[in-house]
Structure formats: structure tokens, C-alpha cells
Amino acid sequence: MQLIEISDLVVDHDPGTRARLPVRGADVVARLVAAGDRSGARIAAGLACDDEGNLDPLAVDRRLVAVHTELQRLSEELRLGDRIAELLRPLLAVIRAAGRTDGPLRVVDVGCGLGYLVRWLAASGALGPDVDLVGVDFNAALVTEAGRLARAEALPCRFVRGDAFALDEPATVYVSTGVLHHFRGDDLDDFFAAQATPGTAAFCHFDIAATGLAPIGAWVFHRARMRDPLGRHDGVMSARRAHDDETLLAAAAHADGLTPLVYEPRGRSNPFCTTLRPVIGVRPDLLSPLRAELGPGPSGRLVGRADTVGGTRHGASAGEGAG
């Protein structure tokens, strides 16, 4: 069965003007049936359509905002903000020490959805007052809601609509959570290539760990915690679509001038707890200072492509291979 998320099919835009295009409900259902996903097709068949058979855009937007609101609860339970801040703090410390920027440091969350990560970082002050926090998403409804929430919470951050493949917002560090598995082939390569901008010192993208137990864990968790059938469907599909380390490292190598690494789980990690982990890219001159800042334990878990090709380690230490 071809692995498709319903939320990827229900919104379409003109790539040049970014104007929203109509989406026929029957086409979404047919696409899922053709993929062998009859469960997904039944969910899509229940989406509201107008008299011409096009999906009702307002109903679609309300549904996606509701699903992302549930996903925010999932992020809270996984302590996603803490986990990312644990990596961003040392990363920004070495960038500051290297004097790589004259102005404020900027962290840009690509595919921010409702902006949970950016709002959490802004509310906690975890990265320091000199960090400009920006969320970017192509979906206008999600960006609008993210901005509304930030204003209601009086948070020092902002949200803009933008294309992940042609980013308008320059960043010192690009981040994302749960975005990478949406892309395949050239799109995955292009996602990383778009972040090789001159002022960028690093990227740090968290996605679902491609373990054998991830789909089972996702099914149990989403059944227990998610109420919307669309959210349950896409949550499990996300785990099934997760990329392995070799794929991520090969794609991340398209970010010219940045050294790609993945964060390898501990050998004795509970696989049910290995839900999200990052692929990281850093400028070569920052790699040794970052390892020193992380300390020997976490630093040793950063591995490069030479360590993971074929799914086996190749004798070199993690530090040697990653460098």
C-alpha cells in the first residue's frame, strides 16, 4: 500500500501565486483507494464538499486546526520543547562564541503548524533574550492561528507564511518537528538544500525514529490520545513513512557547507521511548566546539554517514565518523 497522509491531499496551492486551488473530494477519495488505503478513503469521503464537489475550504481549515491542536497536546506529553532546547542551547552557545552573527540570532521553525515549538521557546525563554523566534508554514490557516495564539499569550515571537523550498526568512538555525517524513526523493533533498544559506550556521530537524515499533507505538498512542479519525490515520501513517538514517543523511548532504549528523539512540534505549530524534547539520568549524559543549555522552551519539551506511558501524568511533 502506498503510504499517504490525508492532510497532504486536502489543500492545494498555486506554486507561483500561493493562491488556494479547489480540491475535488472525489479525487482525494480516488487517490486513497488507488493507494490501497480504504480506511483513509472512508475518512476522506466524510469531508464536507460544496455543490460542485470541491472540498469546503473553511471546513478543511477547521479540521486541520483541530487536528494540530490535538498534536500540540502530543508534543506537550512528549516534552518536545525541552528536548529540542537541550540541543539548541549548546548549539547557540557555540555559535555565539564563534561570533558568527552581528545581530540577533534567529531560529526559524519550518512547517511550524500552530507554532507550538516557537511559542514554547518564547514562553520559557529557554534560548535567551537575544534569539529571534520565527515560525514558517505554507498553510495560511495554521499560520494565522499560530499568530493569534501568540498574540493572546503575549509571546515575543512571530509567524509568517512561507515555502519550505524557497524560504524568505533567513535563519541562524533552522529547525522543524515532524516535517521530514512528508517529503520523498528530490523533495527531501531540496528541503535541506534550501537551508544552505550564507548566514545559516546549523539546522536541527526532529522527526519520528524509523524503528520497527514506531507504527505500533503510534497506533497505541493515537488511539489513546487523539479523537479525530483524520488525526489518528495520519499519525500512524507518519510513523510508517519515517525515513531511516541513511536516507536522512544522504538528503541532508544537499545542504552545501553543513556537516550532516544523526543522533543515535543509546544501545539500551527503550524502543517505545525512542519516538523523535534529530538530524543535525553544522558548519565544520562549529563541530568540535559543539561536541565539547555537549559533553562526551551526547557527543558520542552524533554519527555521520560513514557510521550508518548499510546499517552497521564501520569501526571508527562516532566522533571520527561524524567529523
Side-chain angles (χ1 to χ4, degrees), residues 37 48 112 148 170 173 214 236 249 259 275 282:
D37 186 355
C112 65
R148 186 191 70 78
V173 180
V236 176
L249 287 170
T259 301
T275 50
V282 295

Side-chain angles (χ1 to χ4, degrees), residues 125-309:
L127 302 183
D130 61 335
V131 178
D132 181 24
L133 296 167
V134 183
V136 176
D137 202 293
F138 200 67
N139 188 296
L142 298 180
V143 167
T144 299
E145 180 65 5
R148 186 191 70 78
L149 292 169
R151 288 191 296 275
E153 297 159 347
L155 296 175
C157 57
R158 59 191 175 90
F159 295 92
V160 297
R161 191 179 179 206
D163 186 342
F165 302 104
L167 290 159
D168 300 321
E169 292 290 327
T172 312
V173 180
Y174 286 106
V175 301
S176 73
T177 56
V179 169
L180 298 179
H181 65 268
H182 287 278
F183 304 130
R184 290 288 182 279
D186 290 344
D187 284 349
L188 187 63
D189 298 344
D190 293 344
F191 175 81
F192 285 104
Q195 294 166 34
T197 52
T200 301
F203 59 75
C204 179
H205 297 295
F206 277 72
D207 208 90
I208 301 164
T211 68
L213 292 173
I216 301 171
W219 187 88
V220 171
F221 199 94
H222 283 81
R223 280 284 159 184
R225 305 300 295 154
M226 301 285 280
R227 299 179 179 86
D228 192 302
L230 191 155
R232 288 179 175 177
H233 174 278
D234 284 6
V236 176
M237 200 61 72
S238 297
R240 297 179 67 187
R241 300 178 76 198
H243 297 294
D244 60 30
D245 289 353
E246 289 181 42
T247 300
L248 289 175
L249 287 170
H254 287 78
D256 289 341
L258 293 157
T259 301
L261 305 160
V262 290
Y263 208 58
E264 190 174 62
R266 295 185 183 90
R268 296 178 181 177
S269 293
N270 181 337
F272 284 106
C273 297
T274 309
T275 50
L276 293 165
R277 59 196 180 100
V279 54
I280 302 166
V282 295
R283 296 291 176 187
D285 61 301
L286 298 176
L287 186 52
S288 291
L290 176 60
R291 290 189 180 283
E293 189 75 18
L294 287 170
S299 175
R301 293 165 58 195
L302 282 175
V303 299
R305 197 174 184 189
D307 300 306
T308 61
V309 172

